Structures are given as structure tokens and as C-alpha cells.
Amino acid sequence: MQWNSIQLKQEKGVGLITLNRPQAFNALNSELIQELNQALDLLEQDNSIGCMVITGAEKAFAAGADIKEMVDLSFPEIYLDDFFHLADRVAQRRKPLIAAVSGYALGGGCELALMCDFIYCADNAKFALPEVTLGVLPGIGGTQRLTRAIGKAKAMEMCLTGRQMGAQEAEQSGLVAQVFAKEQLLIESLAAAEQIAQKSLTSLMMIKESINRSFEVSLAEGLRFERRIFHAIFASAEQKEGMRAFIEKRPAKFKPESSE
């Protein structure tokens, strides 16, 4: 496929999506979100892909949503079209998804990173939800996901003031998993993605589903769900291969169930 706002590469079981609107610092518009979802659809359907990475440019992962696209919209237009509803599909992906953030991740860019399963960032990263300075509020999950990631106090402060959070504070607050020098960010992100992609795709997807379920239900219900999923994976050939490989002291050779 031909892309205008993203680039897509596939290698070693990893799908790498690079946001590519340099003239707008990768600001999110309808075309970019549509192309992002099209690329994710392709990667989700490809059983050779075990992990996906979304990244941007060195100076900006994504510097917000495209204000020029939104400024003149009316309530009926934005409500009837359910504006940005396609962005929600990013968070609904079943395969592991990593955000590799360098530079600015502001507004919608920060929200996009939060939709991913975890974030690696460069030491120059800046996170913020500055929508309040525009007379609006986050609309792609920012108030919900940021609060779950770093707690009420910091999320409330960031959303009410619009202040930027640097890389070190982001790591200390639990917003990002690790911080790297900017020239190492993509190398480390792809290395982690390749390591993940070598694992059983069935177990990867079940782990992701189980962890995400913990945010939706009580502890007792979450434990019950995890136990049933654990029982279910014993129906897979990947479970047999993984445990036999351990006993035989050899590397496991996983392959998707559907390819057998």
C-alpha cells in the first residue's frame, strides 16, 4: 500500500510503523489515524508478526492533534462523526504494541503513546496534555489512561496546568518503562520487540488480555479470568513445545497455531 502519513517496515517478526508528517511535527489528523489503523490491521492479520512498534521523529513523536483540522468543527459535526473514534482501535489491538517516543509527545501524541502496551522514551522526551490551553480537554483517552498510569495527583496537575513532563520524571512516575539516549531508542525498542516476537503468540496475546482485564474488574474476577486463560493455553501446541523444550534443554521453536 501507498502511505502519505506513515511508513511501514516488517522484519524479524516485528512491524515498525513510523509517523511521517514532518511538516506538522507528526500532528494527528484523520488521514494519519486512518493509515495507522490500516497498517495495524495488516500486522494483526500477519501471523509472522509477533510485536508492533510505533515511533515518530527524533524531535517529535507526535506534537498533538491537528488543530487546523478541528478549529471550525461544530458540535453536531464532531458528535455525529464521533470524531477520533478510529483512534480507539489502536488500544484494542491484540498483539503487543510498543511506543518508542523521542522528543515531543503532546496532546493526541501523548494519548497515542498511552494506547500502547508500554512506552520506551528517549532522554529528550516531553509528555504533556495541554488541551486546557486551547479551551478544550483531552478527547482520546488522556484523562483516563494517564490517571491509570501515574495516579490522580500528577494526572490532575498535568491536565489542569498543561505542564510538560520530562523523560526522567516520566520513568519515575511509571509512565514509561525505560529511558534511553535518543540515538539508542529505536535500537532498544526494536530489540525488545524482536525478543517479544520470538515468544508464543498465543501466550503473548493472552498475557496482554489478562493484564488489561485487571483495569476493568475486581481482583477476584481478574484472578478467575487469569486462571481460566491459563487452563485454556494447555490446548495449544505452543504450550507443549515450550514445556518440552525446557525439559529437553533446547530453545523453543514457536509458530502460530494456524500455520500448522
Side-chain angles (χ1 to χ4, degrees), residues 92 103 130 146 165 192 194 207 237 256:
Q92 295 165 3
L146 185 66
M165 175 182 282
E194 289 169 15
I207 288 167

Side-chain angles (χ1 to χ4, degrees), residues 65 67 70 78 83-84 107-108 111 129-144 158-160:
I67 305 304
M70 295 187 290
I78 203 167
F83 195 69
F84 275 146
E111 291 174 298
L129 292 174
E131 285 85 351
V132 69
T133 64
L134 302 174
V136 293
L137 70 156
I140 323 177
T143 61
Q144 305 303 301
M158 288 182 67
C159 288
L160 293 179

Side-chain angles (χ1 to χ4, degrees), residues 38-191:
Q38 289 171 344
L40 289 171
D41 285 341
L42 292 174
L43 297 174
E44 286 263 271
Q45 293 162 12
D46 186 346
N47 281 340
S48 71
I49 299 297
C51 189
M52 305 176 293
V53 178
I54 299 176
T55 193
E58 185 175 296
K59 292 184 178 180
F61 173 73
D66 194 330
I67 305 304
K68 293 179 180 178
E69 185 179 61
M70 295 187 290
V71 62
D72 292 321
L73 292 176
S74 66
F75 170 72
E77 288 175 302
I78 203 167
Y79 178 75
L80 292 173
D81 290 343
D82 197 7
F83 195 69
F84 275 146
H85 71 281
L86 287 177
D88 295 335
R89 294 190 59 225
V90 176
Q92 295 165 3
R93 301 297 168 171
R94 300 178 69 200
K95 291 181 179 178
L97 182 58
I98 302 170
V101 175
S102 183
Y104 293 106
L106 310 180
C110 182
E111 291 174 298
L112 175 60
L114 285 165
M115 292 179 199
C116 299
D117 297 312
F118 63 87
I119 303 170
Y120 280 166
C121 79
D123 50 14
N124 69 335
K126 298 287 187 182
F127 299 89
L129 292 174
E131 285 85 351
V132 69
T133 64
L134 302 174
V136 293
L137 70 156
I140 323 177
T143 61
Q144 305 303 301
R145 293 191 178 96
L146 185 66
T147 304
R148 285 165 170 76
I150 66 175
K152 177 185 174 181
K154 280 188 176 291
M156 191 73 79
E157 180 212 21
M158 288 182 67
C159 288
L160 293 179
T161 66
R163 82 167 177 92
Q164 297 180 6
M165 175 182 282
Q168 298 304 321
E169 183 184 358
E171 183 180 30
Q172 293 166 3
S173 300
L175 178 59
V176 306
Q178 292 192 62
V179 178
F180 302 99
K182 61 179 180 290
E183 60 271 13
Q184 287 295 117
L185 172 65
L186 192 55
I187 295 171
E188 296 289 348
S189 298
L190 290 174

Side-chain angles (χ1 to χ4, degrees), residues 186-242:
L186 192 55
I187 295 171
E188 296 289 348
S189 298
L190 290 174
E194 289 169 15
Q195 183 181 17
I196 291 169
Q198 293 172 7
K199 305 297 192 296
S200 155
L201 182 57
T202 304
S203 62
L204 291 174
M205 293 167 69
M206 286 182 168
I207 288 167
K208 175 171 176 171
E209 186 178 6
S210 295
I211 291 176
N212 286 336
R213 183 62 65 95
S214 72
F215 290 97
E216 307 291 338
V217 300
S218 67
L219 176 60
E221 187 60 36
L223 290 170
R224 188 176 298 110
F225 178 83
E226 178 192 76
R227 189 66 46 79
R228 294 296 175 257
I229 290 290
F230 174 75
H231 293 162
I233 204 168
F234 278 74
S236 73
E238 292 173 310
Q239 172 267 323
K240 300 298 184 292
E241 167 61 14

